[in-house]
Amino acid sequence: MEPVTITLAGQPQGKGRARAFLRGGHIGHYTPEKTRSYEGMIRTAAMDAIAGRPALDEPIEFVLRAIFPVPASWSARKRQQALTGEIKPGKKPDLDNIVKAWNDALNGVAYRDDSLICRMTSEKRYGPQPLVVVTVRPI
């Protein structure tokens, strides 16, 4: 099967921590609305990219690149260093939380289950526009 590349424009977001609540003496859990909304956008972008193909059901490689905008307040020299990769975005959200949001959202859409991921590469970097690009391919 051919690789699937999913692109979602906008600021990269991490998976929010599940919240707990107490109701009637019972503890319940829920995913924050911001995370549910972001994962929904990921699924929609994935369905468009997959174009009706079935979810992968074999060992896969997962490659994620989270691209952050260069702060407008930076000098031209510093902006250029950021765009060439000399300066990396060491800021929130954490890379592992971005990956987790994407893994969970693509579960059952791009691949049957995230247990099929056998190789993973991920990075945060600066670019001209904020976006996340994920490629999933059989290995």
Side-chain angles (χ1 to χ4, degrees):
M1 288 196 69
E2 291 293 312
V4 174
T5 299
I6 302 133
T7 303
L8 183 61
Q11 192 75 19
Q13 295 180 34
K15 179 146 183 125
R17 190 176 306 267
R19 306 290 183 205
F21 62 90
L22 182 64
R23 184 181 301 147
H26 298 286
I27 295 176
H29 296 88
Y30 69 95
T31 302
E33 176 59 34
K34 186 176 177 184
T35 298
R36 283 199 316 268
S37 174
Y38 188 61
E39 288 179 354
M41 291 188 302
I42 294 168
R43 277 190 288 281
T44 299
M47 287 187 266
D48 290 345
I50 292 167
R53 290 185 282 178
L56 294 169
D57 195 12
E58 58 191 297
I60 58 172
E61 176 183 30
F62 181 94
V63 179
L64 178 140
R65 179 174 288 162
I67 301 171
F68 290 82
V70 179
S73 62
W74 284 6
S75 68
R77 181 174 180 265
K78 193 170 180 181
R79 289 179 64 78
Q80 188 59 35
Q81 288 176 313
L83 292 171
T84 60
E86 293 176 58
I87 299 174
K88 302 287 185 192
K91 62 179 189 172
K92 297 232 180 242
D94 298 352
L95 184 57
D96 61 329
N97 290 334
I98 298 169
V99 169
K100 183 66 177 157
W102 278 79
N103 281 344
D104 289 351
L106 296 178
N107 228 356
V109 178
Y111 38 79
R112 180 184 50 80
D113 189 77
D114 56 359
S115 64
L116 292 166
I117 299 172
C118 294
R119 184 183 313 143
M120 184 181 296
T121 306
S122 57
E123 75 168 322
K124 288 178 14 179
R125 61 173 298 126
Y126 286 112
Q129 299 295 322
L131 70 138
V132 178
V133 180
V134 170
T135 300
V136 178
R137 69 176 56 90
I139 53 175

